[in-house]
Amino acid sequence: MRVKIEESWNNVLEKFFIKDYFKLLVQKIKNEYKYHKIYPKGDKIFNAFNLCPFDSLKVVIIGQDPYHGKGQANGLSFSVEKNIKIPPSLKNIFIELKNNYPEYEYTDGDLSRWANQGVLLLNSVLTVRKSEPGSHSNIGWEKFTDFVIKNISSKKRNVVFLLWGKYAQSKSRLIDENKHLILKSSHPSPFSAHKGFFKNFHFKKTNEYLLSNNINEINW
């Protein structure tokens, strides 16, 4: 089936899109949008892919599922729309950015500026019911996003994977660490940020690795 997704991603993922498994997933998601309030908006489901083409991808940041509050989710992990209050985990990400780059300032929680530079902000689950975190876990998205991670690992070189928290770290099994850099720490959530997320210097380490491989760094 034809999926509305950026062309270089379509070339990588088209084998998955034609599987009966994916067609069933699409049908489930269409029914969810029909009978429930689902986030993000339908045209933002593949936003992470559309803003960060496969051909220009440098960094992957893996989240779990979208924010479930009104107007928050914009299809990018950890990111919210410009006019939305910045959630606690993202606030801690910005604090750590300031640890890396003291001059760093932010005005909103929209991370599309990262995506446009080659950062894939990938949630493992791409949709969620309003006010029901985890409600779309185990309906099929994980198989799709695992396929995405495997293809990045096998088809690209020198990508930085930022795995924050145990859930994201469980995806390391899909990544060839001989070809890529995997950086792990606790999750930026207020419950765990003090257990290793703060002062992990992942943003600086990412740029150092990219530069060492003659890849343009990210302007965080």
Side-chain angles (χ1 to χ4, degrees):
M1 64 182 297
R2 178 66 181 159
V3 175
K4 289 181 180 176
I5 197 168
E6 191 274 331
E7 196 56 39
S8 64
W9 278 110
N10 188 63
N11 294 337
V12 173
L13 302 174
E14 58 187 348
K15 285 180 185 172
F16 197 90
F17 294 151
I18 61 173
K19 292 186 178 189
D20 289 340
Y21 180 88
F22 186 75
K23 292 172 187 174
L24 282 172
L25 171 61
V26 169
Q27 199 50 56
K28 284 180 196 170
I29 296 302
K30 282 181 176 175
N31 285 338
E32 284 288 298
Y33 274 92
K34 191 173 180 181
Y35 297 111
H36 303 276
K37 184 66 178 173
I38 305 299
Y39 298 130
K41 290 178 180 176
D43 61 356
K44 291 284 181 80
I45 292 175
F46 294 112
N47 200 28
F49 302 90
N50 293 331
L51 294 183
C52 175
F54 183 81
D55 294 344
S56 58
L57 185 154
K58 305 174 188 177
V59 181
V60 181
I61 301 179
I62 297 177
Q64 198 154 353
D65 65 346
Y67 296 116
H68 55 271
K70 183 180 178 183
Q72 288 182 300
N74 63 2
L76 308 174
S77 61
F78 295 104
S79 174
V80 290
E81 297 286 26
K82 277 189 167 63
N83 57 340
I84 297 293
K85 182 182 175 185
I86 295 172
S89 290
L90 183 53
K91 205 171 273 186
N92 286 338
I93 288 170
F94 289 153
I95 289 170
E96 177 53 23
L97 257 170
K98 211 161 179 62
N99 289 334
N100 288 242
Y101 300 102
E103 71 281 6
Y104 180 78
E105 298 291 341
Y106 63 88
T107 53
D108 58 66
D110 181 7
L111 302 182
S112 57
R113 60 188 179 276
W114 296 1
N116 290 325
Q117 296 179 73
V119 181
L120 181 68
L121 294 152
L122 180 67
N123 278 318
S124 179
V125 175
L126 300 188
T127 52
V128 69
R129 285 185 189 177
K130 179 184 178 182
S131 305
E132 294 184 44
S135 50
H136 282 181
S137 296
N138 303 314
I139 66 169
W141 279 126
E142 293 93 340
K143 196 174 276 193
F144 169 67
T145 50
D146 281 1
F147 184 81
V148 169
I149 295 166
K150 282 182 195 170
N151 273 273
I152 294 169
S153 178
S154 65
K155 292 186 165 87
K156 293 188 75 77
R157 293 195 73 86
N158 305 130
V159 172
V160 183
F161 290 84
L162 302 182
L163 307 183
W164 299 332
K166 288 180 180 175
Y167 182 83
Q169 288 166 25
S170 73
K171 304 298 180 180
S172 63
R173 73 189 189 281
L174 307 170
I175 305 161
D176 183 348
E177 57 185 87
N178 295 312
K179 291 171 62 184
H180 307 285
L181 177 64
I182 301 173
L183 296 176
K184 300 178 182 178
S185 79
S186 63
H187 194 276
S189 152
F191 301 107
S192 57
H194 291 280
K195 298 175 183 175
F197 179 78
F198 290 137
K199 301 291 177 75
N200 66 20
F201 294 104
H202 279 186
F203 300 104
K204 206 164 227 181
K205 288 174 182 174
T206 294
N207 277 344
E208 287 168 356
Y209 178 81
L210 293 174
L211 287 173
S212 73
N213 287 285
N214 298 312
I215 302 167
N216 289 337
E217 63 183 355
I218 306 298
N219 179 3
W220 301 105

